[in-house]
Amino acid sequence: MSESFSVKKYLRDLKLPFCPGCGAFTVMNAFLRAVHELGYENLEKFVFCSGIGCSSWIPSPYFLADSIHTLHGRSIPVATGVKLMRPDLNVVVFGGDGDIVGIGLSHFIHAARRNLDVLVIMINNMVYGMTGGQVAPTTPFKVKTTTTPYGSFEYPLDAVKLAVVAGANYAARWTTAHPTELKEAIKKALKLKGFRFIEAVSQCPTAFGRRVGFKTAAEMIKWFKENSITLEESGGLSEEDLTTKIVVGDFVHRDRPTLIETIYAVIKEAQESE
Ligand code: SF4
C-alpha cells in the first residue's frame, strides 16, 4: 500500500444515492478498501456490471471505471459477454437479492455451473428496497413486508448454498456488521479465478428495518452481529434453530477450470485434430 486509503480516489465526484444508514455504503467501502489493499491505484483493470435495484447503483455511475448498468436480472449475462471478449479484465457484478436471485436466478445458477470467471457481490437486504419493500426470495419466513402484511409464508432462498451446489469456485457470506471480514473475502475473491460469489447481508432501514421493528440502522447492524454464527458453529444446530441465524464464512473454495479455460482448451483441441 503506497498511500492511505480514500474512497475518493476511486469515485466520481457525485452525490451517492443511498438513504442514510444504508448498508450499501459499507459494501462499497469494503470493496474499494479491498481494491486499495491489493495495490490497484485505479479501476482501469475492472469492468462493473449491474442490473436494477439500490445495490446496482454501487458501481454505476459512481465508480471511476467502465460500468454497464443493464436490465433487471441481466447483469450476469452482460458480464459473460464482457469477460469472453476481455478475459484480461476483472469483471465484477454488483446486485441486490431481487436482481441476482429473483429475476436473475437462472443466470446466476448457470454462471456458477459454467464457472464463469466473474465475481458477483450480492447485497442481501431481504426485501425489494428500491420499489418500496415488497417480499423478496430472501425475506425470512414470517417476516412482514409491504406485500406480506401478515408475514411471509415462503421459506427464503439460501444463495450461498445454491452457488456451492451449482459449482462456484468460491462462495462466502458476511454481513455489514463484519466489514473487515467482508473486505478480506473480497480481496480473496479478487485473487481467485472462476465463479466467485459473496453475499453481504445488509440493512435497508428505509424499506425493511423500520417495518420489522428496528428503530435505527445501528440496531440492525447490532442484530446482525448478535445473530451471526460461523459455518463451524452452525454444524450442531437444527434447521429450526438456524432460521433465526445468519451463517457466515467461506462455504466453498475450490479450483475447477474456468469457462474461459475450458473454451480455449476445446478450441485448441479442435484445431489440433483438424
Ligand atoms: S431503500 Fe433501502 S436499500 Fe435502498 S438505498 Fe434506501 S436504505 Fe438502501
Side-chain angles (χ1 to χ4, degrees), residues 18-19 22 54 125 129 204-206:
F18 312 118
C19 308
C22 178
C54 297
N125 58 21
C204 168
T206 304

Side-chain angles (χ1 to χ4, degrees), residues 186-248:
I186 294 169
K187 279 168 72 178
K188 189 172 181 177
L190 284 173
K191 288 192 275 185
L192 295 172
K193 293 191 295 181
F195 192 78
R196 290 144 288 152
F197 177 65
I198 297 176
E199 177 180 333
V201 177
S202 174
Q203 73 278 11
C204 168
T206 304
F208 186 76
R210 66 191 172 89
R211 290 209 175 86
V212 297
F214 293 106
K215 292 191 187 71
T216 62
E219 263 189 28
M220 274 191 98
I221 296 169
K222 188 164 174 273
W223 190 90
F224 290 161
K225 189 88 182 167
E226 289 171 354
N227 289 280
S228 294
I229 53 169
T230 63
L231 195 53
E232 294 72 32
E233 289 166 343
S234 73
L237 296 185
S238 69
E239 204 171 316
E240 199 183 341
D241 291 337
L242 286 171
T243 55
T244 54
K245 299 288 176 209
I246 304 168
V247 183
V248 293

Side-chain angles (χ1 to χ4, degrees), residues 6 55 95-96 99 128 159 182 187 193 208 228:
S6 165
S55 315
D99 195 47
Y128 283 92
L182 181 60
K187 279 168 72 178
K193 293 191 295 181
F208 186 76
S228 294

